[in-house]
Amino acid sequence: MAKTVLVVDDITFVRKTLIEILQKSHLQVVGEAEDGEKAVELYRKLQPDIVTMDIVMPEMSGIEAARKILKIDKNAKIVMISALGQENLVMEAINAGVKDYILKPFSEEEILKTIEKALTSDERLTGRASQRTQKSL
Amino acid sequence: MDFQTNLLPHHLKFYQEGTIELLEDILPTVEVTEDIFKNYLKTHHGVFFTLYGIDRNFLILFFDQNLEISQCLEIGNTMVSQLANHMSKLKGEVILVSPPQKITDNKINFFTFNKSFAHHYTYYYKQEKHTTQIQVWLVPHSQREGFSNA
């Protein structure tokens, strides 16, 4: 059975690009949201296997939405989508419990590889993995 | 190549859509006037960002009207994040960036009231079937502040 994805980004173009990439693979996009509030609402309703979450959005940020989703489901798998220069926000998201992050503008290969890794990993980026990420940022 | 030339990316792969390339390395410094921007707005989408550091600058971008506005916003987001990151490293200060805003006729004097000199960059946006230009302006918020190197 195909793994399901919820795509969250306030820019239509980015959502469209992500959906195109994901639909070409074995993943099934079950929903899309343009802000954090809608993302939380859709997560409750759709229970996707993984969420791609833009880090900066109006109304409710990606970090806040990730925190709320992880409160609903502590095993939720979330990959943050970030722009260059948002290292502090990425660290905040990792400390909140998200699985991984990808920098914009991303390639098809990077997206699929990161999502695959997050789906097969049962550990959060905490402890030693988090320290490694902190160094690489 | 000078400081201003290196602030913005020279070459950028933009998702699966295409590449964005700086047209030339030697950049003209131009006095910004309302007429320049008003003329662009007749045939282009205009988007701007405000960069807040010790100095304040505007990054202004004009795109072919055939491009979807959300694609223009994302190109702007990509360029401004690289610019802010570069400025932050060079100056050793935190640079905050506003969300993108669409430029309308009544916002133009916001950029021109100081009669500033700005740096003008021309990019080619090469997609599979066509190529368009992106006009980019880096405008200091006030003439006295101007652009400074580290």
Side-chain angles (χ1 to χ4, degrees):
Chain A
M1 210 169 118
K3 295 283 185 189
T4 55
V5 190
L6 171 64
V7 171
V8 187
D9 201 297
D10 60 324
I11 305 273
T12 313
F13 169 80
V14 179
R15 291 202 307 275
K16 206 175 116 199
T17 303
L18 272 167
I19 291 169
E20 273 172 21
I21 292 172
L22 299 172
Q23 281 177 341
K24 275 198 275 177
S25 73
H26 61 285
L27 299 157
Q28 186 193 351
V29 179
V30 285
E32 54 177 302
E34 67 277 4
D35 62 56
E37 211 171 298
K38 196 170 170 201
V40 177
E41 188 190 318
L42 284 181
Y43 187 87
R44 272 185 215 276
K45 197 172 145 192
L46 304 168
Q47 300 282 304
D49 293 306
I50 194 158
V51 182
T52 66
M53 178 84 75
D54 185 19
I55 212 158
V56 177
M57 289 184 292
E59 309 300 329
M60 187 194 290
S61 78
I63 298 175
E64 205 183 329
R67 280 204 186 99
K68 291 201 172 183
I69 288 172
L70 286 160
K71 236 182 198 174
I72 298 167
D73 173 6
K74 65 178 173 44
N75 296 315
K77 291 179 174 175
I78 304 170
V79 170
M80 302 306 285
I81 312 277
S82 143
L84 194 68
Q86 295 175 340
E87 291 83 356
N88 291 342
L89 296 177
V90 169
M91 276 319 298
E92 206 182 318
I94 286 168
N95 289 334
V98 308
K99 283 281 177 194
D100 213 335
Y101 71 96
I102 301 167
L103 280 183
K104 290 182 188 180
F106 44 75
S107 69
E108 181 174 337
E109 197 191 344
E110 283 166 335
I111 280 287
L112 295 177
K113 213 167 137 183
T114 309
I115 288 183
E116 194 61 43
K117 204 175 100 193
L119 279 169
T120 51
S121 154
D122 281 331
E123 291 168 21
R124 285 184 189 163
L125 269 175
T126 51
R128 291 174 70 177
S130 172
Q131 284 166 21
R132 278 200 302 275
T133 307
Q134 208 153 7
K135 275 183 191 168
S136 72
L137 287 169
Chain B
M1 283 179 284
D2 60 11
F3 167 70
Q4 282 80 13
T5 314
N6 283 319
L7 277 176
L8 281 157
H10 286 226
H11 179 94
L12 191 66
K13 188 172 179 331
F14 186 67
Y15 298 93
Q16 309 169 93
E17 292 296 315
T19 55
I20 297 169
E21 289 168 25
L22 184 64
L23 182 58
E24 52 196 334
D25 287 343
I26 300 160
L27 301 169
T29 305
V30 183
E31 185 178 353
V32 291
T33 64
E34 285 197 26
D35 284 348
I36 293 176
F37 292 150
K38 275 187 178 164
N39 281 332
Y40 274 127
L41 271 192
K42 286 177 191 163
T43 51
H44 292 72
H45 292 302
V47 174
F48 79 96
F49 298 82
T50 310
L51 292 107
Y52 302 91
I54 292 170
D55 300 329
R56 193 185 295 183
N57 296 296
F58 297 114
L59 183 71
I60 300 168
L61 303 101
F62 291 99
F63 300 89
D64 190 295
Q65 271 179 343
N66 291 323
L67 285 178
E68 269 178 41
I69 188 69
S70 81
Q71 190 169 158
C72 302
L73 294 175
E74 186 56 16
I75 291 173
N77 276 332
T78 305
M79 283 201 176
V80 81
S81 66
Q82 297 210 5
L83 171 64
N85 191 53
H86 204 147
M87 283 173 103
S88 172
K89 280 183 182 160
L90 279 170
K91 296 184 171 194
E93 61 179 273
V94 176
I95 308 279
L96 298 175
V97 179
S98 74
Q101 291 185 60
K102 279 194 217 174
I103 302 172
T104 50
D105 269 337
N106 59 7
K107 280 182 187 157
I108 286 177
N109 71 351
F110 202 46
F111 316 123
T112 57
F113 81 100
N114 281 316
K115 301 197 184 306
S116 304
F117 282 85
H119 292 282
H120 178 205
Y121 306 72
T122 300
Y123 283 88
Y124 276 135
Y125 179 28
K126 295 178 180 173
Q127 293 175 281
E128 197 184 354
K129 288 182 183 160
H130 53 270
T131 297
T132 53
Q133 285 194 357
I134 305 171
Q135 303 296 333
V136 180
W137 298 76
L138 187 54
V139 182
H141 183 251
S142 85
Q143 197 171 14
R144 208 184 320 158
E145 286 166 356
F147 297 107
S148 56
N149 188 355

